[in-house]
Amino acid sequence: MIYTVSKLTREIKSLLEETFPFIWVTGEISNYAVPASGHSYFTLKDHQAVINTVMFKNQKRNLKFEPENGMKIMGLARLTLYEPRGSYQLIFEHLEPEGAGSMQIAFEQLKKKLSDQGLFDDKHKKPIPFLPSKISIITSGSGAAVRDIINVSQRRFSNCPLEIVSVKVQGHGSENEICDAINLVNQFQKSDLIILARGGGSLEDLAAFNSEIVANTIFNSDIPIITGVGHETDYTIADFVSDLRAPTPSAAAELALPDKNDLVQRIFNLQESLNSSLKNKIIAHRQVVVHLISRLKSPDTIVYDFRFKLEDFESRLINMMKHTVQYNKEKLHWLSQALYSQQPVTKISEYKQRVKTLSLSLTHNFQKIFKEIKTNHLKFNLKLQALNPEAVLQRGYSISRFVSDKKVITDSNEVKKNDKIEVLLFKGALITRVEKING
């Protein structure tokens, strides 16, 4: 019998599915991928073999953890063959981590995720009020946790009102009820503090307090939250996100409220200390008052002192005024005399007399100077007449000079034969030529 590829593949597929309808398989995840369809595709391997696997989106909804590369898992799967490629694969219906439980893996994964987002950082923790005016307790209304919280609260500070907000603390829908209760308390804003609590239980029982939705609601609460979940060794995601973690519900009540007896004792001690301080202050101030009274003068003495000072100032002021008036009188008299001496009439008379004197002196000096000038003029005129060349020429003398440059001849050695010479007479002039020179 000859098989076609399709027929052979189909019969092998039927044989595999009939022989291995559901099997438990264990191995290590690798090449994990989630495309847009939401299905998970990966390979399952051990140290000798590899097989392709898939887990559809509907089956993934029941997982308590997120598969990832390198994780060792164990799961229930169907063995099938993918005909277009002729390769067989596993289709998982259920998965759980090998070794640690799936809920523990989911807890660690969510813890790491929220820590990376900063929800556990101390900078986001809100301060717990010292003495809240009202506390809202979110827990099961019928559990032991609420009774423990009420008993401790009444013992420590019975005056503080308590509001019980009853919710489911485990099972289906418990996460939503816890979130709704936290949001409701924040909406009305009548409480200063929230206690989120429940008794102990398994990891499955505490699942609501390890959910991401509850963690985000605690983080977004405007009212501070103290968590008291389970026993002292139990830690939940809610504990890491809350503003303060208490090991038990009873411890949460103790952290939320101060001990009234301790406060009363503290107030009594402070009152005693205050009274003692006030007494010491009063004694000290009394001593200061006594000392100041001893230094305080009698009002009559002070008045007399000021009266003497006033009389002294009055006397000094009167003397000063008299001196000022006398000084101003003398100054006024002196200014009057100076003003009288500087009268225009007196000044005009003085200036007239001075002008008259100066005029007479000027006339006398002018006549004297004019006479001297006239005498000097006659004397200089006579000298000038005596030195005048024309007067010499008039007495029969003559002046000889060269015709060419009009230079006067004073030495016969300056003249050469045949030079033309002009002879100046008293009347007229002669042009001559040198015939002979007598040295």
Side-chain angles (χ1 to χ4, degrees), residues 48-272:
Q48 291 181 339
V50 175
I51 184 172
N52 292 327
T53 58
V54 62
M55 189 172 193
F56 296 118
K57 182 169 60 175
N58 290 336
Q59 281 68 37
K60 287 174 58 179
R61 293 175 180 171
N62 298 321
L63 290 181
K64 303 295 184 182
F65 70 102
E66 182 67 27
E68 53 188 36
N69 289 325
M71 181 181 290
K72 290 186 177 182
I73 56 95
M74 180 178 64
L76 182 64
R78 292 183 290 111
L79 187 61
T80 184
L81 186 143
Y82 187 56
E83 294 183 42
R85 287 201 301 251
S87 61
Y88 76 97
Q89 64 182 8
L90 291 172
I91 301 177
F92 277 99
E93 299 292 334
H94 171 72
L95 279 180
E96 63 182 37
E98 185 179 5
S102 61
M103 294 195 71
Q104 184 63 36
I105 295 294
F107 174 85
E108 296 298 335
Q109 289 178 340
L110 181 58
K111 179 181 174 183
K112 183 177 184 304
K113 175 184 176 181
L114 297 180
S115 178
D116 293 341
Q117 292 176 356
L119 269 67
F120 302 162
D121 293 350
D122 290 338
K123 65 182 180 180
H124 299 305
K125 305 295 184 184
K126 293 176 283 296
I128 305 301
F130 173 72
L131 185 59
S133 59
K134 183 178 180 182
I135 299 176
S136 293
I137 304 170
I138 301 176
T139 186
S140 172
S142 58
V146 68
R147 292 194 297 273
D148 292 341
I149 293 173
I150 292 174
N151 291 335
V152 173
S153 300
Q154 292 297 317
R155 173 172 53 82
R156 289 181 67 83
F157 206 94
S158 58
N159 303 77
C160 181
L162 302 178
E163 177 186 50
I164 310 301
V165 183
S166 180
V167 296
K168 287 176 63 177
V169 292
Q170 70 181 66
H172 179 70
S174 57
E175 299 97 330
N176 293 330
E177 288 195 21
I178 293 172
C179 294
D180 291 341
I182 294 174
N183 292 330
L184 185 65
V185 175
N186 275 272
Q187 179 181 352
F188 287 104
Q189 291 287 326
K190 292 183 178 180
S191 298
D192 297 332
L193 182 65
I194 295 174
I195 296 178
L196 178 61
R198 69 148 288 156
S202 65
L203 191 59
E204 288 80 5
D205 294 336
L206 302 178
F209 296 89
N210 289 321
S211 63
E212 185 173 0
I213 183 174
V214 171
N216 285 318
T217 304
I218 294 174
F219 181 78
N220 294 322
S221 173
D222 294 328
I223 300 174
I225 296 179
I226 298 178
T227 53
V229 180
H231 302 298
E232 188 168 351
T233 57
D234 293 327
Y235 274 86
T236 64
I237 297 295
D239 291 326
F240 293 113
V241 183
S242 66
D243 300 295
L244 182 63
R245 184 251 178 190
T248 62
S250 299
E254 291 182 357
L255 293 174
L257 288 169
D259 191 331
K260 185 177 180 180
N261 294 329
D262 291 343
L263 292 179
V264 171
Q265 184 62 40
R266 185 179 176 187
I267 291 173
F268 177 77
N269 293 337
L270 290 174
Q271 185 176 8
E272 288 294 320

Side-chain angles (χ1 to χ4, degrees), residues 152-410:
V152 173
S153 300
Q154 292 297 317
R155 173 172 53 82
R156 289 181 67 83
F157 206 94
S158 58
N159 303 77
C160 181
L162 302 178
E163 177 186 50
I164 310 301
V165 183
S166 180
V167 296
K168 287 176 63 177
V169 292
Q170 70 181 66
H172 179 70
S174 57
E175 299 97 330
N176 293 330
E177 288 195 21
I178 293 172
C179 294
D180 291 341
I182 294 174
N183 292 330
L184 185 65
V185 175
N186 275 272
Q187 179 181 352
F188 287 104
Q189 291 287 326
K190 292 183 178 180
S191 298
D192 297 332
L193 182 65
I194 295 174
I195 296 178
L196 178 61
R198 69 148 288 156
S202 65
L203 191 59
E204 288 80 5
D205 294 336
L206 302 178
F209 296 89
N210 289 321
S211 63
E212 185 173 0
I213 183 174
V214 171
N216 285 318
T217 304
I218 294 174
F219 181 78
N220 294 322
S221 173
D222 294 328
I223 300 174
I225 296 179
I226 298 178
T227 53
V229 180
H231 302 298
E232 188 168 351
T233 57
D234 293 327
Y235 274 86
T236 64
I237 297 295
D239 291 326
F240 293 113
V241 183
S242 66
D243 300 295
L244 182 63
R245 184 251 178 190
T248 62
S250 299
E254 291 182 357
L255 293 174
L257 288 169
D259 191 331
K260 185 177 180 180
N261 294 329
D262 291 343
L263 292 179
V264 171
Q265 184 62 40
R266 185 179 176 187
I267 291 173
F268 177 77
N269 293 337
L270 290 174
Q271 185 176 8
E272 288 294 320
S273 176
L274 180 62
N275 290 337
S276 176
S277 297
L278 286 174
K279 287 180 181 178
N280 293 334
K281 286 287 185 181
I282 290 172
I283 292 173
H285 285 306
R286 281 178 178 173
Q287 292 176 351
V288 172
V289 170
V290 170
H291 175 67
L292 292 176
I293 289 175
S294 65
R295 295 175 57 188
L296 186 65
K297 289 184 178 181
S298 170
D300 292 338
T301 304
I302 296 174
V303 171
Y304 290 145
D305 289 344
F306 280 112
R307 180 176 294 172
F308 291 146
K309 287 183 179 180
L310 183 61
E311 291 176 355
D312 180 59
F313 289 148
E314 181 180 9
S315 175
R316 291 168 62 185
L317 180 61
I318 291 172
N319 292 333
M320 187 179 296
M321 291 178 65
K322 287 181 178 179
H323 174 73
T324 303
V325 170
Q326 182 63 32
Y327 170 77
N328 288 332
K329 279 184 177 180
E330 293 176 355
K331 185 176 180 180
L332 179 62
H333 177 72
W334 178 80
L335 291 174
S336 298
Q337 292 293 329
L339 181 62
Y340 179 78
S341 65
Q342 298 294 329
Q343 288 186 89
V345 176
T346 305
K347 287 291 183 181
I348 290 171
S349 177
E350 290 179 357
Y351 284 131
K352 281 184 177 181
Q353 184 62 37
R354 188 175 178 184
V355 168
K356 185 177 180 180
T357 303
L358 291 174
S359 178
L360 292 173
S361 176
L362 181 61
T363 302
H364 176 72
N365 290 336
F366 179 76
Q367 291 177 351
K368 182 178 180 181
I369 292 170
F370 181 75
K371 186 177 181 179
E372 290 178 356
I373 291 173
K374 187 176 181 181
T375 302
N376 289 334
H377 176 72
L378 291 174
K379 183 169 67 174
F380 290 138
N381 191 40
L382 291 174
K383 287 183 178 182
L384 184 59
Q385 289 295 328
L387 296 175
N388 189 355
E390 291 183 354
V392 175
L393 295 175
Q394 189 176 10
R395 291 197 298 271
Y397 295 97
S398 64
I399 298 173
S400 299
R401 63 182 181 182
F402 293 106
V403 174
S404 58
D405 56 4
K406 307 298 183 181
K407 182 181 179 182
V408 175
I409 300 170
T410 60

